[in-house]
Amino acid sequence: MLVSLVASFYLVSQFKIHFGGPQVPLVGLRHAFESRYYANWRFFRDAASVLNDGYAKFSNSPWRFTRADTDMLMLPSKYVPELQSLSPQIASPTIAHAFNLSGYWTNMDIILKNNLHFRTLQEKLTPHLNQLTVPMQDELNYAVEKDLPKCNGEWVAIKPYHSILRLVSRISARIFLGKPLCRDERWLEISTEFTENVFVSLVVLRLFPRFLHGFISYFLPSTWICCNYIRKAKKLLVPDIKRRQVAMAAGEKSENDMNLLNWMLEIASPRESKPSELAHLEVVMSLASIHTSQMNAVHVLYDLAEHPKYVKEIREEIKEVIAEDGDWLEWKKTSFYKLKKLDSFMRESQRHNPPTLLSYHRVMMSDYVLQDGTVLPKGAHIAMPVNSIQNGITPNPDLFDPMRYYRLRQGEGQAHLHQFATTEKDVLNFGHGKYSCPGRFFAALEIKNILVRLIMDYDWKLPEGQGRFVNLHAHEFIFPNQNGLLYMRQRPQEERLKM
Ligand code: HEM
């Protein structure tokens, strides 16, 4: 009985792979009889080879590969301008993100309710970045004091993955919630641990067919932990949200008003103002922002430790900005913009260590025929192999050349292009167009703030004989090594930033 059940399941599944869905070339199966679950296991362990292989064969036309939970229709970046113009009623980024994060089982599907989080970042956070440098630096100073070891001129070993996570989560909390809530250890735990458990859940669930996800979730501790963190967040934030709503209705103002939660309350429609949903959204925004920025900063630090000659160049650049704009604590957003060498280093580091190899996710809500006649059928999950695409337009892509974007920006009319947060048709680490990452300018500012402090105040080195720590891969995701160890030493007072 069981054998015939498994055999029928296998046959239906193979039939669907080969005859269902869009009729475009299939990549990733070694032979026609290979099960999608085995191919998916290979994708889990080495997504880069599947994606690079597909891109090498079909860099200019659609192709697909099969995962355990869905088939992915891979598109070349030539379609980006056309896709950009499609409304979410035709090609939905949000449904695709919720699906890709196993939203139903990880509590991430709250993003399907409304787009308040997206609007608040675009309409409020980004336009206020200039006023946020001071609270960011203030919180960073507090975090450095609290979370980095005291070195007193000695080399001290730290694990940057964990230390930088503390720095990023504290700064994000300050900007997302304001004082004093941002210093609450319960919030710092929720905002970091929720994300880790979402990733554990989705990495595991993606190994199994979709119809088993509910069953597996029931036994998977990380999915219960996610639910628990959402409950804790509501318990912690809801009373505060209600208090803020009352204060706002009474027209009360305080100097602590400039934070994401208050901005959400300001622009939320009555239907979007439910305190428990706002608390849930705050957690979701932590997921979108903290680990993404932290991973980027950790990669940069690992890369700087491996290529120390650039530390000197970047320090010189920071000193030039200090000479022009005054001490770091007086810097505005424009001062950080002047750090073109650091920015270039960050972009090159991200190209070599992208958070994901797959982006520009959309789920087709109706059939759509592209101008060249390519059909995107209703229900198809489309995506792009973003790292293969970016490497495809990069000369000598295997070379780690941290000043390549700095040099490009010296060209005529290029000064504003090729920045860390600049998106292009072929540079999609933050997406591109209307639905690109609304938090990327904040991310750039936050990461630069942290790096300037860490580069100017400390020397860094790898342990003797140790090369760069290898990244960890799971499905399309890439994580910096959590156990990587660097030595840090405080620089002499006169070399450090003035506080
Ligand atoms: C290095 C850091 C970051 C990276 C690499 C990154 C990357 C991305 C990408 C690839 C997307 C999808 C774009 C698309 O659909 O085409 C996205 C969406 C998004 N990001 Fe970021 N991001 C980063 C930092 C942040 C930060 C700091 C925030 C918040 C302050 C943020 C908030 C969001 C939100 C709200 C969305 C939209 C999710 C939705 O559709 O509901 N991100 N990000």
Side-chain angles (χ1 to χ4, degrees):
M1 169 75 175
L2 187 66
V3 174
S4 54
L5 211 65
V6 172
S8 330
F9 178 69
Y10 169 77
L11 287 175
V12 171
S13 162
Q14 291 307 100
F15 184 84
K16 271 197 189 157
I17 295 176
H18 294 287
F19 303 105
Q23 290 306 300
V24 295
L26 178 64
V27 171
L29 284 195
R30 287 198 173 140
H31 50 81
F33 299 104
E34 187 176 52
S35 138
R36 71 157 69 215
Y37 303 104
Y38 194 72
N40 183 65
W41 175 247
R42 246 185 296 111
F43 183 78
F44 162 69
R45 294 194 322 163
D46 189 9
S49 62
V50 175
L51 297 174
N52 288 336
D53 186 32
Y55 183 75
K57 288 183 188 142
F58 309 106
S59 63
N60 210 27
S61 57
W63 52 282
R64 68 194 168 104
F65 72 91
T66 179
R67 283 193 341 202
D69 55 347
T70 187
D71 284 355
M72 304 293 278
L73 177 56
M74 305 302 288
L75 296 181
S77 62
K78 69 176 180 188
Y79 294 129
V80 166
E82 203 178 339
L83 291 170
Q84 232 174 278
S85 66
L86 301 185
S87 75
Q89 283 72 38
I90 298 178
S92 170
T94 314
I95 292 182
H97 297 320
F99 177 82
N100 212 39
L101 293 169
S102 301
Y104 188 73
W105 306 111
T106 56
N107 291 273
M108 283 300 292
D109 54 354
I110 179 94
I111 59 175
L112 300 176
K113 280 211 163 165
N114 58 58
N115 65 354
L116 177 62
H117 59 302
F118 201 101
R119 284 174 7 239
T120 314
L121 293 172
Q122 262 187 345
E123 294 169 24
K124 290 290 185 180
L125 183 89
T126 303
H128 281 95
L129 285 182
N130 216 25
Q131 288 109 295
L132 294 181
T133 51
V134 172
M136 274 170 142
Q137 287 164 328
D138 183 52
E139 204 58 26
L140 178 57
N141 288 345
Y142 179 80
V144 166
E145 204 46 45
K146 278 267 189 203
D147 299 320
L148 289 190
K150 308 275 169 288
C151 312
N152 301 325
E154 301 292 320
W155 287 105
V156 174
I158 67 158
K159 289 187 173 171
Y161 184 96
H162 304 281
S163 307
I164 291 185
L165 186 57
R166 288 292 288 181
L167 305 188
V168 174
S169 59
R170 281 188 185 280
I171 300 175
S172 304
R174 173 74 176 262
I175 304 303
F176 285 13
L177 295 175
K179 263 171 129 176
L181 207 49
C182 64
R183 304 256 165 106
D184 192 311
E185 276 300 328
R186 288 170 295 176
W187 172 257
L188 295 172
E189 183 191 329
I190 293 166
S191 65
T192 49
E193 294 298 315
F194 174 75
T195 307
E196 307 231 330
N197 282 285
V198 166
F199 273 85
V200 170
S201 303
L202 75 90
V203 162
V204 174
L205 289 175
R206 285 244 213 114
L207 296 172
F208 297 95
R210 210 156 58 193
F211 72 88
L212 287 179
H213 287 191
F215 178 73
I216 294 165
S217 295
Y218 191 76
F219 296 100
L220 201 58
S222 55
T223 55
W224 290 98
I225 296 173
C226 286
C227 292
N228 205 20
Y229 278 126
I230 294 295
R231 258 197 304 275
K232 284 184 179 172
K234 288 181 181 172
K235 196 164 161 217
L236 182 67
L237 298 187
V238 165
D240 194 77
I241 293 173
K242 287 185 177 161
R243 184 190 55 71
R244 291 181 199 218
Q245 283 173 326
V246 171
M248 265 185 190
E252 285 171 24
K253 291 232 171 286
S254 96
E255 58 178 47
N256 194 22
D257 278 348
M258 230 177 17
N259 58 65
L260 200 74
L261 181 52
N262 281 8
W263 286 324
M264 280 209 284
L265 291 171
E266 236 177 88
I267 67 168
S269 69
R271 281 184 57 193
E272 294 168 337
S273 300
K274 229 172 134 191
S276 64
E277 285 180 9
L278 292 168
H280 194 151
L281 269 187
E282 277 278 338
V283 183
V284 163
M285 276 208 272
S286 300
L287 175 135
S289 68
I290 295 178
H291 283 70
T292 46
S293 305
Q294 168 250 7
M295 292 198 296
N296 213 288
V298 175
H299 284 306
V300 171
L301 211 56
Y302 285 170
D303 287 332
L304 278 171
E306 203 197 6
H307 303 275
K309 73 172 182 160
Y310 294 103
V311 174
K312 196 161 169 265
E313 263 189 67
I314 291 170
R315 279 184 185 150
E316 287 309 314
E317 182 180 57
I318 294 171
K319 283 194 215 155
E320 282 165 27
V321 179
I322 291 176
E324 271 178 39
D325 292 2
D327 292 335
W328 174 69
L329 286 176
E330 290 159 30
W331 283 13
K332 293 272 181 259
K333 191 179 76 170
T334 44
S335 316
F336 289 93
Y337 171 78
K338 291 178 185 170
L339 299 173
K340 294 185 177 164
K341 289 185 176 170
L342 177 61
D343 192 275
S344 176
F345 198 105
M346 285 161 59
R347 185 160 158 121
E348 179 72 342
S349 179
Q350 190 190 46
R351 185 177 69 81
H352 278 263
N353 312 282
T356 169
L357 298 170
L358 209 56
S359 195
Y360 213 85
H361 291 273
R362 303 288 183 264
V363 165
M364 296 309 298
M365 307 304 289
S366 59
D367 287 350
Y368 187 81
V369 184
L370 292 164
Q371 274 164 16
D372 67 359
T374 302
V375 179
L376 305 178
K378 181 177 176 183
H381 188 132
I382 62 177
M384 296 192 187
V386 288
N387 195 241
S388 318
I389 291 172
Q390 189 178 6
N391 288 342
I393 58 149
T394 307
N396 206 352
D398 292 337
L399 179 70
F400 183 77
D401 177 4
M403 292 303 132
R404 67 167 81 228
Y405 300 109
Y406 175 77
R407 290 195 302 274
L408 280 176
R409 287 178 72 184
Q410 307 303 306
E412 177 96 38
Q414 304 284 305
H416 296 293
L417 305 176
H418 317 294
Q419 296 181 54
F420 176 69
T422 318
T423 66
E424 295 168 31
K425 173 176 87 51
D426 294 302
V427 183
L428 296 163
N429 292 309
F430 292 105
H432 186 54
K434 245 192 306 194
Y435 303 103
S436 57
C437 172
R440 65 190 188 279
F441 301 105
F442 171 77
L445 193 62
E446 185 177 44
I447 297 168
K448 281 183 191 166
N449 242 317
I450 293 173
L451 289 172
V452 167
R453 182 81 201 265
L454 295 183
I455 291 170
M456 291 307 279
D457 285 6
Y458 302 93
D459 289 319
W460 295 90
K461 67 172 183 182
L462 285 160
E464 202 60 38
Q466 169 75 55
R468 192 198 192 280
F469 302 102
V470 289
N471 294 329
L472 308 179
H473 297 243
H475 303 289
E476 69 266 30
F477 304 109
I478 297 183
F479 307 92
N481 198 309
Q482 300 199 6
N483 293 319
L485 196 109
L486 290 184
Y487 284 96
M488 63 186 285
R489 180 179 65 181
Q490 202 165 32
R491 299 176 74 214
Q493 178 92 50
E494 63 280 10
E495 302 284 343
R496 302 204 291 262
L497 296 170
K498 292 206 174 46
M499 292 300 149

